[in-house]
Amino acid sequence: MTFVRVGDLAHHVAVDGQGPVCVLSAGLGLAWFDWDPVVPLLAPHRTVVRFDRPGHGLTQGTTAPPTLAGEADRIAALLDALRLPGPATVVGHSIAGFHAEGFARLHPDRTAALVLVDSSVEEHPRPGRLGWTVPAGTALTALGLPAALGPALRRLAVHPDPAPPAALRRVYRASRVWRGALRENARYGSVAVELDALRRVRPLPPGAPVTVLAAPDGSARWEQRQRALARRLDGRYAAAEPSGHLVMRDAPDAVARAVLGPQDAA
């Protein structure tokens, strides 16, 4: 277990394998262990970096609202702290797709490739507000609900859940994790607005391949939106089928192919 300090926060990171760097960032409320099925497929070919954002996994919580630029810079700072400065393949799942694309646009010289795994998509984003998030998180903590019900709520949302039971209990019994997820969810719209603005002024790095890996799961509308995202980014579209939203759990081989290419992933 490794912690590195970025700013005033200790961030939990896990580093496996060897070779060119690949950064994996999971979606809202998830943790480093949600990538476990993918790591054995990538580690023979890549130095795989997993990390928990503030209030997620084992990383300290914060009261600072998340921003797109802040999350992109966080990835860069973590790679610096780990002394892994070379260009990295950045993989973002769900809301972390925003962060990964932001990294590619703000740090083009450090981006080898971009992979978006069933990424969030907002064609007409509108800013959000923290609003009730902080009071709700405080109230939940005061009532002791995370400690009492946290792991059960996680299992209800993710079923079947392959996460290690001990790690799951340690993470989801912590009130900071639920506060972190609420805070990030409340800022979802604002982060999407930031990305929309960034796309107008900062191009993706030329020569860095982009892959949009989607889990349509029978939804023609979701597939259309993901294909449109791939076209907008001049990238390649691939479908993970069958798979739910947690593609790294349901179809880890598809994630590996998106990162490595079919030859190395075989």
Side-chain angles (χ1 to χ4, degrees):
M1 188 175 300
T2 302
F3 289 86
V4 298
R5 186 163 291 277
V6 173
D8 60 350
L9 291 181
H11 289 68
H12 173 244
V13 299
V15 182
D16 300 274
Q18 58 185 353
V21 178
C22 175
V23 181
L24 307 178
S25 187
L28 179 74
L30 301 179
W32 84 97
F33 51 66
D34 286 297
W35 293 104
D36 279 357
V38 177
V39 173
L41 304 178
L42 295 180
H45 313 281
R46 296 289 187 272
T47 298
V48 183
V49 178
R50 294 173 285 166
F51 72 98
D52 294 323
R53 296 189 298 280
H56 289 62
L58 299 179
T59 294
Q60 291 178 303
T62 179
T63 59
T67 66
L68 180 72
E71 295 309 318
D73 292 345
R74 188 184 314 283
I75 296 171
L78 284 168
L79 291 175
D80 287 341
L82 294 168
R83 299 184 179 180
L84 297 171
T89 296
V90 185
V91 183
H93 167 255
S94 195
I95 192 175
F98 290 164
H99 309 156
E101 185 182 339
F103 176 88
R105 293 182 185 276
L106 291 171
H107 300 275
D109 57 325
R110 304 188 67 171
T111 304
L114 173 64
V115 179
L116 304 179
V117 179
D118 218 38
S119 177
S120 298
V121 180
E122 291 298 327
E123 293 85 357
H124 307 288
R126 300 175 61 182
R129 297 180 180 178
L130 288 176
W132 51 268
T133 302
V134 173
T138 302
L140 287 172
T141 301
L143 292 170
L145 292 181
L149 300 176
L153 290 174
R154 154 79 189 206
R155 287 191 292 269
L156 187 64
V158 180
H159 182 76
D161 194 339
L168 189 150
R169 288 192 298 271
R170 181 177 181 184
V171 168
Y172 291 99
R173 284 175 60 87
S175 60
R176 61 177 166 71
V177 170
W178 298 95
R179 289 198 304 268
L182 286 169
R183 187 177 296 275
E184 201 167 85
N185 185 61
R187 289 287 297 177
Y188 172 90
S190 297
V191 171
V193 168
E194 285 184 72
L195 179 58
D196 189 57
L198 189 63
R199 284 170 172 167
R200 304 172 197 272
V201 296
R202 297 294 292 268
L204 288 170
V210 177
T211 301
V212 174
L213 176 63
D217 197 24
S219 170
R221 174 59 178 153
W222 184 241
E223 182 176 14
Q224 290 169 2
R225 295 177 71 191
Q226 293 285 310
R227 285 185 179 276
L229 177 62
R231 289 193 297 270
R232 183 172 189 176
L233 302 183
D234 195 23
R236 181 179 73 91
Y237 172 83
E241 296 178 308
S243 176
H245 183 50
L246 295 187
V247 184
M248 58 278 243
R249 178 199 65 179
D250 296 339
D253 54 331
V255 178
R257 284 194 299 271
V259 173
L260 301 175
Q263 183 172 356
D264 284 343

